[in-house]
Amino acid sequence: MTDLPADLTAELLVEADVAICGAGPIGAATAYFLARMSPELRIVVLGDDPDDDPGHVSTYRYSGGSIRWTWADPVKREMTAETAEFVQGLIAEGVDLAAIENTYHLLHTGEHIPALNISATRLVSHLLERAADAGAQVIPGAVVEGVRPDGSGHLIETTRGTIRAERVLFALGAANARLFPQSEAELEKRQLFVLDLPVPPERERMPHTIVPVGEGFGYAFVKSVEGHLRVLVGQEDIVEDDDLSGPVDHWETLLESGLATALPWLRDAKVEQILWGVDIAEKKLVLDEPAPGLLLAGCGSSVRSSAWLGRTLAERLAA
Ligand SMILES: Cc1cc2nc3c(=O)[nH]c(=O)nc-3n(C[C@H](O)[C@H](O)[C@H](O)COP(=O)(O)OP(=O)(O)OC[C@H]3O[C@@H](n4cnc5c(N)ncnc54)[C@H](O)[C@@H]3O)c2cc1C
């Protein structure tokens, strides 16, 4: 746990039953389910702003938003099937999640896997709005700096002041590991290429395209990032080094191992930046409780499991 100085000087901003630190897919979904499940609880959600978060490339803001629910593994199948049903319910209600159907496919095998692509950013905004409607207090621009025990509860230090809460969920994505280096969650390095490429209208709806690369996969999708339409190319499982501190250049490997054959126009792209992100390899819920009532939650591909994660964590926090 992060140690804070004993003489905290910041004023107590708010007192809550439950504080949710981090307003990504896990935090927003937990707030959504908890606020509806337990309206009597005082729930606070602490979020930061992208401008204050130079490391946000590893967050949901860059996610492909792919929701695939035909997994062989029964746990992953349950997590994704529940989320798919939830998301389809929102779409049926008229919530615009920028969904595209049937877009997850392996070009080389021709296997077509039923799936949805949604905007993770829109999903998170929607969940937070609904959580606020149900009584949760969302405090934007509150960067969490540390936490320490306080009697039966916890004091959370943020850039906007101190929050006291009985129970706390840390759902800061990759940042959980920076604040809690002793966490069990394993970080996985991903490589992400943000390409400046003219995107004609037919490519704007380009599906989340997956191609086998070496022993893993490469993927490409079009995304609006910070107001620009960009092509994002990423990789899974082909980073050979264990150094999590910076990028490695597998752009040529990706192109030559199948991606350029499948999507020849990628050869015209100028790689504007090479960024890296981290994810949690298992794609299942990793939950630590370093102190009673202090939960650390992480999950790889948590957009596609967000409803299951939110409900599961809300049940735990409501108890
Ligand atoms: C390129 C790429 C493609 C991906 N594609 C998919 C996909 O197709 N489908 C899928 O399901 N998943 C995908 N993922 C994975 C998915 O984005 C992550 O699993 C998910 O974002 C993790 O959610 P989270 O809520 O745990 O954390 P995050 O998304 O990291 O959210 C954490 C939030 O906490 C904030 N935060 C961080 N530090 C602090 C702090 N100190 N104080 C306050 N707030 C803080 C962050 O800014 C963010 O808002 C992809 C990821 C990447 C990088």
Side-chain angles (χ1 to χ4, degrees), residues 21-28 46-50 53 56-67 104 117 120 142-145 171-176 178-179 190-192 208 219 221 232 234 236 277-280 297-305:
C21 302
I26 294 185
L46 306 168
D48 60 356
D49 294 324
D53 173 21
H56 72 270
V57 291
S58 63
T59 70
Y60 70 95
R61 297 175 185 99
Y62 276 76
S63 166
S66 154
I67 299 180
Y104 195 108
N117 262 52
V143 179
V144 175
E145 296 178 323
L172 304 177
N176 266 0
R178 284 201 293 276
L179 279 176
R190 280 173 183 244
Q191 192 171 14
L192 186 65
H208 192 135
Y219 53 84
F221 51 92
L232 277 83
E236 284 187 32
V278 277
D279 202 352
I280 292 163
C299 179
S301 296
S302 66
V303 180
R304 63 172 67 117
S305 300

Side-chain angles (χ1 to χ4, degrees), residues 13-14 20 23 43-49 136-143 158 160-163:
L13 185 65
V14 74
I20 296 173
I43 302 163
V44 173
V45 185
L46 306 168
D48 60 356
D49 294 324
Q137 186 182 359
V138 181
I139 305 182
V143 179
T158 82
R160 294 202 50 195
T162 304
I163 283 95

Side-chain angles (χ1 to χ4, degrees), residues 176-195:
N176 266 0
R178 284 201 293 276
L179 279 176
F180 301 93
Q182 75 279 35
S183 159
E184 297 286 311
E186 263 185 58
L187 297 179
E188 168 196 355
K189 190 167 176 178
R190 280 173 183 244
Q191 192 171 14
L192 186 65
F193 301 87
V194 181
L195 310 176

